[in-house]
Amino acid sequence: MNWVEAIGYAGTVLTVASSAMSTMIPLRIVALTASCVVIIYGLMIGSFPVVLTEMIQIPFNAWRLYQMVRLVKDVEKAASGDLSLDWLKPFGKARQFKAGQVIFRMGDEASEMFTIESGRFRIPELDVELGAGDVVGELGMLAPDNRRTGSLICVESGHALCLAYSEVKQLYYQNPEFGFYFLKLTSERLFQHAGR
Protein backbone atom coordinates (compact mmCIF):
# COMPACT_ATOMS: atom_id res chain seq x y z
CA MET A 1 0.00 0.00 0.00
CA ASN A 2 1.42 3.39 -1.00
CA TRP A 3 0.80 6.72 0.71
CA VAL A 4 -1.92 7.77 -1.80
CA GLU A 5 -3.95 4.67 -0.89
CA ALA A 6 -3.28 5.39 2.79
CA ILE A 7 -4.91 8.83 2.36
CA GLY A 8 -7.89 7.18 0.66
CA TYR A 9 -8.27 4.68 3.50
CA ALA A 10 -7.97 7.47 6.07
CA GLY A 11 -10.83 9.30 4.33
CA THR A 12 -12.90 6.11 4.38
CA VAL A 13 -12.26 5.54 8.10
CA LEU A 14 -13.23 9.14 8.93
CA THR A 15 -16.39 8.93 6.80
CA VAL A 16 -17.47 5.71 8.51
CA ALA A 17 -16.61 7.17 11.94
CA SER A 18 -18.76 10.25 11.29
CA SER A 19 -21.70 8.04 10.27
CA ALA A 20 -21.40 6.09 13.53
CA MET A 21 -21.48 9.18 15.79
CA SER A 22 -24.67 10.13 17.60
CA THR A 23 -23.85 13.68 18.73
CA MET A 24 -24.02 16.41 16.12
CA ILE A 25 -21.04 18.66 16.80
CA PRO A 26 -18.37 15.91 16.77
CA LEU A 27 -20.14 14.27 13.81
CA ARG A 28 -19.97 17.46 11.73
CA ILE A 29 -16.31 18.09 12.63
CA VAL A 30 -15.29 14.55 11.65
CA ALA A 31 -17.43 14.73 8.48
CA LEU A 32 -15.70 17.98 7.46
CA THR A 33 -12.28 16.43 8.12
CA ALA A 34 -13.27 13.33 6.13
CA SER A 35 -14.39 15.49 3.19
CA CYS A 36 -11.06 17.34 3.15
CA VAL A 37 -9.07 14.08 3.22
CA VAL A 38 -11.23 12.52 0.48
CA ILE A 39 -10.84 15.66 -1.68
CA ILE A 40 -7.05 15.36 -1.38
CA TYR A 41 -7.30 11.69 -2.33
CA GLY A 42 -9.64 12.44 -5.25
CA LEU A 43 -7.25 15.07 -6.61
CA MET A 44 -4.29 12.69 -6.33
CA ILE A 45 -6.02 9.94 -8.28
CA GLY A 46 -7.69 12.36 -10.70
CA SER A 47 -11.26 11.44 -9.73
CA PHE A 48 -13.24 14.65 -10.08
CA PRO A 49 -16.64 13.07 -9.27
CA VAL A 50 -15.22 12.16 -5.83
CA VAL A 51 -13.89 15.70 -5.39
CA LEU A 52 -17.20 17.24 -6.52
CA THR A 53 -19.26 15.06 -4.15
CA GLU A 54 -17.15 16.07 -1.15
CA MET A 55 -17.08 19.75 -2.14
CA ILE A 56 -20.89 19.73 -2.21
CA GLN A 57 -21.04 18.18 1.27
CA ILE A 58 -18.64 20.64 2.92
CA PRO A 59 -20.99 23.70 2.94
CA PHE A 60 -23.87 21.61 4.34
CA ASN A 61 -21.77 20.16 7.15
CA ALA A 62 -20.16 23.56 7.88
CA TRP A 63 -23.58 25.28 8.08
CA ARG A 64 -25.02 22.60 10.38
CA LEU A 65 -21.92 22.77 12.59
CA TYR A 66 -22.28 26.56 12.82
CA GLN A 67 -25.99 26.22 13.74
CA MET A 68 -25.28 23.70 16.50
CA VAL A 69 -22.36 25.66 17.99
CA ARG A 70 -24.47 28.84 17.95
CA LEU A 71 -27.40 26.98 19.49
CA VAL A 72 -25.28 25.65 22.37
CA LYS A 73 -23.83 29.13 23.03
CA ASP A 74 -27.28 30.72 23.03
CA VAL A 75 -28.68 28.06 25.36
CA GLU A 76 -25.70 28.49 27.71
CA LYS A 77 -26.39 32.23 27.75
CA ALA A 78 -30.08 31.62 28.42
CA ALA A 79 -29.38 29.11 31.19
CA SER A 80 -26.98 31.51 32.92
CA GLY A 81 -29.59 34.20 33.36
CA ASP A 82 -31.01 35.40 30.05
CA LEU A 83 -34.23 33.37 29.93
CA SER A 84 -35.07 34.46 26.38
CA LEU A 85 -35.75 31.62 23.96
CA ASP A 86 -34.96 33.62 20.81
CA TRP A 87 -32.41 30.98 19.86
CA LEU A 88 -35.29 28.60 19.08
CA LYS A 89 -36.74 30.82 16.32
CA PRO A 90 -35.15 28.91 13.42
CA PHE A 91 -36.87 25.74 14.66
CA GLY A 92 -40.39 27.11 15.21
CA LYS A 93 -43.39 28.49 13.29
CA ALA A 94 -45.05 31.87 13.83
CA ARG A 95 -48.78 31.80 14.60
CA GLN A 96 -51.33 34.57 15.05
CA PHE A 97 -53.95 34.55 17.82
CA LYS A 98 -57.09 36.66 18.24
CA ALA A 99 -58.45 38.16 21.45
CA GLY A 100 -60.68 35.66 23.26
CA GLN A 101 -59.13 32.64 21.54
CA VAL A 102 -58.39 29.65 23.79
CA ILE A 103 -55.01 28.28 22.77
CA PHE A 104 -55.21 25.27 25.09
CA ARG A 105 -57.04 24.16 28.23
CA MET A 106 -55.76 22.62 31.43
CA GLY A 107 -55.62 18.84 30.99
CA ASP A 108 -55.32 18.96 27.18
CA GLU A 109 -52.66 16.79 25.60
CA ALA A 110 -49.53 18.91 25.13
CA SER A 111 -47.43 18.74 21.96
CA GLU A 112 -45.93 22.22 21.59
CA MET A 113 -44.62 25.23 23.47
CA PHE A 114 -44.93 28.94 22.67
CA THR A 115 -42.71 32.01 22.84
CA ILE A 116 -44.92 35.10 22.87
CA GLU A 117 -43.78 37.78 20.42
CA SER A 118 -46.65 40.28 20.76
CA GLY A 119 -50.07 40.63 22.37
CA ARG A 120 -51.22 39.57 25.84
CA PHE A 121 -52.14 36.10 27.07
CA ARG A 122 -53.50 34.81 30.37
CA ILE A 123 -53.23 31.63 32.42
CA PRO A 124 -56.51 31.80 34.39
CA GLU A 125 -55.65 29.04 36.89
CA LEU A 126 -52.62 31.03 38.09
CA ASP A 127 -54.12 34.47 37.42
CA VAL A 128 -50.96 35.27 35.46
CA GLU A 129 -50.74 37.49 32.40
CA LEU A 130 -48.02 36.95 29.81
CA GLY A 131 -46.61 39.23 27.14
CA ALA A 132 -43.79 39.58 24.64
CA GLY A 133 -40.76 37.48 25.56
CA ASP A 134 -42.63 35.10 27.86
CA VAL A 135 -42.65 31.37 27.25
CA VAL A 136 -45.56 29.08 27.97
CA GLY A 137 -46.32 25.42 27.46
CA GLU A 138 -42.81 24.02 27.88
CA LEU A 139 -43.69 22.19 31.10
CA GLY A 140 -46.16 19.92 29.30
CA MET A 141 -43.20 18.23 27.64
CA LEU A 142 -41.83 17.26 31.05
CA ALA A 143 -45.17 16.21 32.58
CA PRO A 144 -45.41 12.41 32.94
CA ASP A 145 -48.69 12.28 30.98
CA ASN A 146 -47.85 15.18 28.60
CA ARG A 147 -50.92 17.10 29.76
CA ARG A 148 -51.29 20.86 30.11
CA THR A 149 -50.85 22.13 33.66
CA GLY A 150 -52.95 25.23 32.95
CA SER A 151 -55.04 26.95 30.27
CA LEU A 152 -53.89 29.72 27.93
CA ILE A 153 -56.24 32.40 26.60
CA CYS A 154 -55.40 35.26 24.26
CA VAL A 155 -56.44 38.55 25.89
CA GLU A 156 -55.07 40.93 23.24
CA SER A 157 -54.39 39.80 19.64
CA GLY A 158 -50.80 38.89 18.99
CA HIS A 159 -48.24 36.48 17.61
CA ALA A 160 -46.35 33.59 19.18
CA LEU A 161 -43.63 31.29 17.96
CA CYS A 162 -44.86 27.71 18.13
CA LEU A 163 -42.26 24.99 18.68
CA ALA A 164 -43.32 21.34 18.50
CA TYR A 165 -41.99 19.11 21.26
CA SER A 166 -40.72 16.77 18.54
CA GLU A 167 -38.35 19.55 17.41
CA VAL A 168 -37.16 20.18 20.96
CA LYS A 169 -36.64 16.43 21.51
CA GLN A 170 -34.69 16.13 18.27
CA LEU A 171 -32.37 18.95 19.34
CA TYR A 172 -32.13 17.38 22.78
CA TYR A 173 -31.07 13.97 21.45
CA GLN A 174 -28.71 15.35 18.82
CA ASN A 175 -26.76 17.45 21.25
CA PRO A 176 -26.34 16.48 24.92
CA GLU A 177 -25.14 20.00 25.84
CA PHE A 178 -28.37 21.44 24.44
CA GLY A 179 -30.34 18.91 26.48
CA PHE A 180 -28.54 19.82 29.69
CA TYR A 181 -28.97 23.55 29.28
CA PHE A 182 -32.59 23.23 28.14
CA LEU A 183 -33.43 21.20 31.25
CA LYS A 184 -31.66 23.79 33.41
CA LEU A 185 -33.59 26.58 31.69
CA THR A 186 -36.90 24.76 32.08
CA SER A 187 -36.18 24.08 35.76
CA GLU A 188 -35.53 27.78 36.34
CA ARG A 189 -38.85 28.60 34.70
CA LEU A 190 -40.60 25.98 36.86
CA PHE A 191 -39.17 27.57 40.01
CA GLN A 192 -40.24 31.01 38.77
CA HIS A 193 -43.82 29.80 38.30
CA ALA A 194 -43.76 28.12 41.71
CA GLY A 195 -42.60 31.42 43.23
CA ARG A 196 -45.61 33.18 41.71
Side-chain angles (χ1 to χ4, degrees):
M1 179 173 69
N2 61 36
W3 62 279
V4 174
E5 286 179 326
I7 292 173
Y9 284 122
T12 301
V13 168
L14 288 168
T15 301
V16 171
S18 71
S19 299
M21 294 180 158
S22 59
T23 54
M24 286 294 114
I25 291 177
L27 183 155
R28 298 298 179 186
I29 292 170
V30 172
L32 284 166
T33 305
S35 289
C36 292
V37 171
V38 172
I39 285 172
I40 292 168
Y41 174 71
L43 290 171
M44 291 178 145
I45 65 168
S47 178
F48 293 103
V50 169
V51 172
L52 181 63
T53 301
E54 297 303 320
M55 288 183 74
I56 290 170
Q57 289 185 33
I58 285 176
F60 291 114
N61 281 316
W63 176 248
R64 291 297 185 195
L65 176 61
Y66 167 76
Q67 284 182 317
M68 276 302 182
V69 169
R70 187 182 68 189
L71 180 66
V72 169
K73 284 183 180 175
D74 289 344
V75 177
E76 282 180 339
K77 180 182 173 189
S80 66
D82 176 9
L83 297 180
S84 166
L85 292 179
D86 288 343
W87 41 270
L88 286 176
K89 281 187 179 180
F91 304 97
K93 293 179 182 175
R95 284 177 53 189
Q96 184 174 357
F97 298 100
K98 296 180 180 177
Q101 183 177 351
V102 176
I103 291 83
F104 55 78
R105 295 186 187 282
M106 185 174 183
D108 285 353
E109 188 173 341
S111 62
E112 57 195 2
M113 57 184 268
F114 302 87
T115 300
I116 299 169
E117 297 181 324
S118 65
R120 288 186 302 122
F121 296 78
R122 188 169 177 270
I123 302 173
E125 294 84 1
L126 299 175
D127 195 27
V128 171
E129 201 165 279
L130 305 171
D134 286 324
V135 174
V136 64
E138 80 280 10
L139 297 179
M141 186 172 77
L142 303 176
D145 56 357
N146 284 106
R147 297 282 172 187
R148 296 291 185 194
T149 58
S151 305
L152 184 65
I153 300 168
C154 182
V155 177
E156 178 185 288
S157 297
H159 292 83
L161 182 73
C162 172
L163 186 71
Y165 291 161
S166 59
E167 287 288 331
V168 176
K169 287 177 184 175
Q170 185 178 4
L171 292 169
Y172 178 90
Y173 290 124
Q174 286 178 354
N175 194 317
E177 283 183 303
F178 169 84
F180 172 76
Y181 288 113
F182 183 77
L183 284 176
K184 183 177 176 184
L185 180 65
T186 307
S187 299
E188 287 184 22
R189 290 189 180 282
L190 183 61
F191 286 119
Q192 282 181 351
H193 289 306
R196 288 177 179 172

